[in-house]
Amino acid sequence: MDQKARLAPVPDGPWTERNLTGLPGNGHRYEIVDGALVVTPPVDDGHEMLCDEVASLLRATAPPDWHVVPQVGLRLGDDNGDSNLVADVAVLRPGAPYDRAWTDAAEVALVVEVESHPSRRWDRCVKPGLYAEAGIESFWRIERTANGPVAHLYTRAAAGHYHLHRSVNTGETHFAELPYAVQLAPASWLHG
């Protein structure tokens, strides 16, 4: 089978959520920003293990009816869903459906992105701005360093962008209150 036969057709106009269903399940992450397709390569095992550690912590401390979902698709933007991003970990508000591939940004209280080499600039520069514009209250960026993970905790400012609330270095412990009370100790996470 040649390469063209395996690829989904390219739309005549902007990419939409519907166009993503025909793309191959090859470990790449397919996302849409303002109608443009963005592809990032598969992540390494250290990234996945660190995502699992953060998700486990958030699940263990979640109040009833809150849901922690890894690798969930988020609809951002206008009613047409002009941007679709995949979060490493998301915390959904009580009452939000948690058993579907895509959820609306209004149902999300926290997004966590764990940096990997191919996604570093994307996780630092592009995704936070889109999450803040969509109204998501909290954003955590987990930086992987030679000394271990560092958690950067952001809260949404009234102007619609994120403000760095605190960075929690390896060896430190911090009690975060958003989206709910959770004690962060990055040294206890796997060194991804």
Side-chain angles (χ1 to χ4, degrees):
M1 179 181 281
D2 69 11
Q3 186 73 353
K4 281 188 167 187
R6 289 185 279 151
L7 297 178
V10 175
D12 291 333
W15 283 80
T16 66
E17 183 179 317
R18 187 179 67 237
N19 300 124
L20 294 176
T21 60
L23 296 173
N26 57 6
H28 287 74
R29 185 172 286 185
Y30 299 98
E31 299 172 295
I32 299 170
V33 175
D34 296 332
L37 179 67
V38 178
V39 182
T40 51
V43 295
D44 58 54
D45 290 340
H47 175 275
E48 288 302 310
M49 288 188 285
L50 194 49
C51 288
D52 289 346
E53 289 287 323
V54 173
S56 293
L57 169 70
L58 288 165
R59 275 192 199 102
T61 56
D65 299 325
W66 288 77
H67 298 285
V68 178
V69 184
Q71 304 278 328
V72 66
L74 304 178
R75 289 185 190 105
L76 311 175
D78 62 21
D79 291 336
N80 297 322
D82 61 358
S83 293
N84 295 76
L85 299 180
V86 178
D88 285 330
V89 180
V91 175
L92 305 183
R93 299 179 185 285
Y98 60 92
D99 57 351
R100 57 187 190 191
W102 294 97
T103 192
D104 295 321
E107 298 169 335
V108 179
L110 168 69
V111 171
V112 180
E113 293 292 349
V114 175
E115 290 184 4
S116 63
H117 181 70
S119 72
R120 188 174 142 275
R121 287 191 178 131
W122 187 245
D123 292 340
R124 289 182 180 199
C125 303
V126 177
K127 282 187 159 184
L130 293 168
Y131 292 147
E133 283 178 13
I136 297 172
E137 181 180 22
S138 299
F139 171 71
W140 295 359
R141 180 175 54 84
I142 311 300
E143 180 181 2
R144 297 164 64 190
T145 73
N147 295 325
V150 176
H152 303 283
L153 314 180
Y154 299 84
T155 54
R156 191 170 180 272
H161 62 275
Y162 286 122
H163 170 73
L164 178 62
H165 173 70
R166 167 102 192 224
S167 291
V168 185
N169 294 302
T170 300
E172 296 180 335
T173 300
H174 176 69
F175 189 75
E177 296 180 15
L178 294 175
Y180 44 76
V182 60
Q183 185 173 342
L184 297 173
S188 69
W189 303 337
L190 299 174
H191 293 276

